[in-house]
Amino acid sequence: MNEKKKSRAVRLRRELPFHLMLLPAVILVGIFSYGPMVGIIMAFEKFSPKKGIFGSPFVGLENFRYLMNIPDIDKVVFNTFFIAAMKLALGVVVPMFMAILLNEVRLESVKKVIQTMVYFPHFLSWVILSGIFIDILSPSTGIVNEFITMLGFEPVYFLGDPKVFPYTMALTETWKEFGFGTIVYLATISGIDPTLYEAAEVDGAGRWQQTVHITLAALLPMAALMLILNLGGVLNLSFEQIYNLYSPQVYSTGDILDTLVYRLGMIDAQYGVATAVGLFKSVVSLVLVSFSYWFAGKVSGYRVF
């Protein structure tokens, strides 16, 4: 028993500095992430800014009933999942194949230049990028549509056609983030045993066969893991992207839960209903996060705790 106590004391003394180092971050998370959760009460109230959270009348599930009766709420939910699913799939596949292509570049200087170029968009905000995309995707003066018309096709209203808008959102998001997403796949490639390539070359395998049977085979488990883990954030679409690029004419296919919350809360001042939408999204996200981590543990043995 004394040995166990001594071992615990030694372990506590060794790990205490690390826990103290984390303490400021834990306090900040408590203040800015868990503290505001008191506002969830608004989802069950007819909130009045004058009366405040604790003085507004309690209405039970009335806000949720109102939410279910909002016109086209089913389309909003579908748009959220549809756009998120495209982003989720492209966000795994494109970075993986980009990592494979970068791995094939033999000149280190060229490789670094390409990496810098594809990483850079990740650090730009959607406020900046939205202005760029509005210009280059313009049906009249945009460089993309000028190229399309040169090929003999009609201009495409990327940001004004409801049928095209969701795909434009998925592709532009992928363009912004795929470079940064290659980091984890490049790290996986760097961990592949070089003797595997040497043995494959001795057996007569060409570069393409080595890529398919060794590199790609090594990346697939990581791709599956990233897909599963990103599933938990499937509803956390880029609000900034869609808010800065959409318009009323594409609401039918571009309106998502986050933009609905913004309009209900900030424009229509229906704070209780907006909170109810946010709570609904949070509950669904919690279920997806829990399922994704459970499934990741079953498939790849991934554990957070």
Side-chain angles (χ1 to χ4, degrees):
M1 191 67 178
N2 290 333
E3 287 296 327
K4 286 185 178 180
K5 288 184 178 180
K6 186 177 180 180
S7 176
R8 289 176 181 174
V10 171
R11 182 180 176 184
L12 177 62
R13 190 163 53 249
R14 184 178 66 249
E15 296 182 356
L16 183 60
F18 299 105
H19 289 284
L20 292 176
M21 183 176 65
L22 287 173
L23 187 59
V26 172
I27 293 174
L28 289 175
V29 169
I31 294 173
F32 294 104
S33 295
Y34 289 97
M37 289 181 70
V38 175
I40 291 176
I41 300 172
M42 292 167 57
F44 307 95
E45 295 178 336
K46 187 176 182 180
F47 178 76
S48 170
K50 182 179 179 180
K51 297 179 180 178
I53 295 177
F54 300 106
S56 298
F58 183 79
V59 295
L61 299 178
E62 187 61 34
N63 289 326
F64 292 92
R65 295 190 189 97
Y66 179 87
L67 170 63
M68 293 298 106
N69 292 322
I70 291 177
D72 297 329
I73 185 63
D74 55 335
K75 288 185 178 180
V76 173
V77 174
F78 173 80
N79 295 340
T80 303
F81 280 96
F82 181 61
I83 298 175
M86 287 193 293
K87 289 184 177 182
L88 187 64
L90 291 174
V92 172
V93 174
V94 175
M96 180 175 64
F97 282 100
M98 184 62 190
I100 294 174
L101 294 176
L102 282 173
N103 186 59
E104 296 301 313
V105 177
R106 293 294 171 237
L107 291 176
E108 197 64 29
S109 57
V110 176
K111 186 176 182 179
K112 288 182 179 179
V113 170
I114 296 174
Q115 284 180 302
T116 302
M117 290 174 61
V118 297
Y119 290 171
F120 183 68
H122 169 80
F123 300 99
L124 297 178
S125 71
W126 274 111
V127 176
I128 297 173
L129 289 178
S130 61
I132 296 174
F133 280 122
I134 288 172
D135 285 338
I136 66 175
L137 297 178
S138 170
S140 56
T141 60
I143 187 173
V144 175
N145 271 306
E146 286 186 2
F147 180 73
I148 291 174
T149 53
M150 283 175 55
L151 297 176
F153 298 100
E154 293 292 324
V156 179
Y157 289 74
F158 291 100
L159 302 177
D161 187 346
K163 295 180 180 178
V164 179
F165 185 80
Y167 305 99
T168 304
M169 294 301 96
L171 291 174
T172 51
E173 173 81 9
T174 302
W175 174 85
K176 181 180 185 295
E177 300 294 344
F178 83 91
F180 197 76
T182 60
I183 294 176
V184 65
Y185 297 107
L186 286 172
T188 303
I189 292 174
S190 65
I192 299 175
D193 189 350
T195 59
L196 294 175
Y197 294 103
E198 295 172 4
E201 189 174 358
V202 170
D203 289 339
R207 195 65 194 172
W208 171 253
Q209 291 174 313
Q210 293 177 34
T211 301
V212 172
H213 297 289
I214 298 177
T215 309
L216 186 59
L219 289 178
L220 285 178
M222 178 56 68
L225 178 61
M226 295 302 295
L227 182 65
I228 293 168
L229 296 182
N230 289 336
L231 179 64
V234 69
L235 295 184
N236 296 322
L237 293 169
S238 177
F239 165 76
E240 296 86 357
Q241 177 202 17
I242 294 182
Y243 176 73
N244 283 287
L245 291 175
Y246 85 150
S247 59
Q249 61 195 36
V250 295
Y251 277 179
S252 60
T253 59
D255 201 17
I256 60 172
L257 288 172
D258 284 339
T259 54
L260 178 64
V261 169
Y262 172 80
R263 289 203 311 278
L264 287 172
M266 302 302 294
I267 297 178
D268 298 339
Q270 299 186 60
Y271 305 109
V273 180
T275 306
V277 178
L279 180 58
F280 166 75
K281 192 189 93 166
S282 298
V283 171
V284 175
S285 296
L286 176 63
V287 173
L288 290 174
V289 167
S290 303
F291 171 77
S292 63
Y293 277 95
W294 172 81
F295 197 63
K298 290 291 184 180
V299 173
S300 60
Y302 179 84
R303 289 285 187 276
V304 178
F305 303 107

